[in-house]
Amino acid sequence: MTRVELHDVDELMDLLYACRGAWDTPDRSGDPVDLHEHALQTAALLRRSRPSDKELQLAGLVHDIGHLLRPGDDAGHADTAADAVRRLLGGRVARLVRLHVPAKRYLAMSDPLHGLSPQSARTLEAQGGPMTPHEAAAFAQDPLAEDAVTLRQADDAGKVVGLDAGILEDWRPVAELVAERVRHNSLERVHSASH
């Protein structure tokens, strides 16, 4: 299967708009909100808890686009989404997206009472089940582990039917800001390497 890579914010926004009426499971047996609502709710929760961390908020907005890009791939949806946004939104956003599944496995081991949605509980086994103590210790050493757990907690909470989490267009300036930073940093690295 070919890898999708987003090149500009318009492509990203189009993909996020396409999440309207798309679900985490092709037969709609999964979470109670579509991918569009889930993205908005997750991002809004992160904006509330970490108002200055635009990259974390965007990771919340895009973390499940892999379900749209490869329907039915519960085990690989985070990697698919991370690969799609890396070039546009940068390494930290992509890494947080990739880590939202390991963070679920970590929480399932370290906090068994952590509330997974019924669908998340079902997909946990396909994603490797709860981490072993050794895996959890290694995960906790990752510099982004705490942020990934914060993302995961917002992910688990962002599945409320009828909750008004704003509109997608409100996120365009945030995406443009982060994409511009990534572009600027990339140009700086190229410029530094040539001197």
Side-chain angles (χ1 to χ4, degrees), residues 34-73:
D34 68 11
L35 293 173
H36 177 84
E37 282 302 313
H38 177 55
L40 290 175
Q41 288 183 29
T42 304
L45 288 165
L46 291 165
R47 179 181 271 167
R48 196 171 304 135
S49 68
R50 303 276 288 278
S52 63
D53 194 342
K54 304 302 183 204
E55 290 178 343
L56 179 60
Q57 294 164 25
L58 277 181
L61 189 70
V62 304
H63 75 281
D64 269 351
I65 61 172
H67 285 302
L68 184 70
L69 296 170
R70 292 208 183 132
D73 184 11

Side-chain angles (χ1 to χ4, degrees), residues 8-10 12-14 16-17 20 35-63 88-89 93 151 154 164-180:
D8 60 42
V9 172
D10 287 336
L12 173 64
M13 296 301 287
D14 288 347
L16 289 166
Y17 275 114
R20 273 197 181 121
L35 293 173
H36 177 84
E37 282 302 313
H38 177 55
L40 290 175
Q41 288 183 29
T42 304
L45 288 165
L46 291 165
R47 179 181 271 167
R48 196 171 304 135
S49 68
R50 303 276 288 278
S52 63
D53 194 342
K54 304 302 183 204
E55 290 178 343
L56 179 60
Q57 294 164 25
L58 277 181
L61 189 70
V62 304
H63 75 281
L88 179 64
L89 300 177
V93 172
L151 168 57
D164 181 2
I167 61 170
L168 184 57
E169 268 318 298
D170 289 344
W171 290 98
R172 184 182 293 272
V174 179
E176 287 171 345
L177 175 74
V178 170
E180 181 54 37

Side-chain angles (χ1 to χ4, degrees), residues 130-195:
M131 285 184 171
T132 64
H134 179 72
E135 288 173 321
F139 175 82
Q141 294 302 310
D142 190 304
L144 290 180
E146 186 179 321
D147 292 341
V149 167
T150 299
L151 168 57
R152 183 71 224 180
Q153 291 166 331
D155 179 6
D156 291 331
K159 301 174 181 182
V160 180
V161 175
L163 180 70
D164 181 2
I167 61 170
L168 184 57
E169 268 318 298
D170 289 344
W171 290 98
R172 184 182 293 272
V174 179
E176 287 171 345
L177 175 74
V178 170
E180 181 54 37
R181 269 193 222 145
V182 168
R183 202 168 24 256
H184 177 76
N185 290 341
S186 178
L187 289 173
E188 290 231 329
R189 277 193 302 275
V190 168
H191 182 72
S192 295
S194 67
H195 288 287

Side-chain angles (χ1 to χ4, degrees), residues 90-133:
R92 181 168 178 256
V93 172
R95 183 102 174 101
L96 287 168
V97 168
R98 191 176 304 282
L99 287 174
H100 87 273
V101 170
K104 173 169 115 173
R105 296 182 60 226
Y106 174 79
L107 285 169
M109 190 285 294
S110 64
D111 183 9
L113 299 177
H114 173 73
L116 291 177
S117 72
Q119 175 63 12
S120 287
R122 277 193 296 276
T123 58
L124 178 62
E125 289 311 310
Q127 295 164 341
M131 285 184 171
T132 64

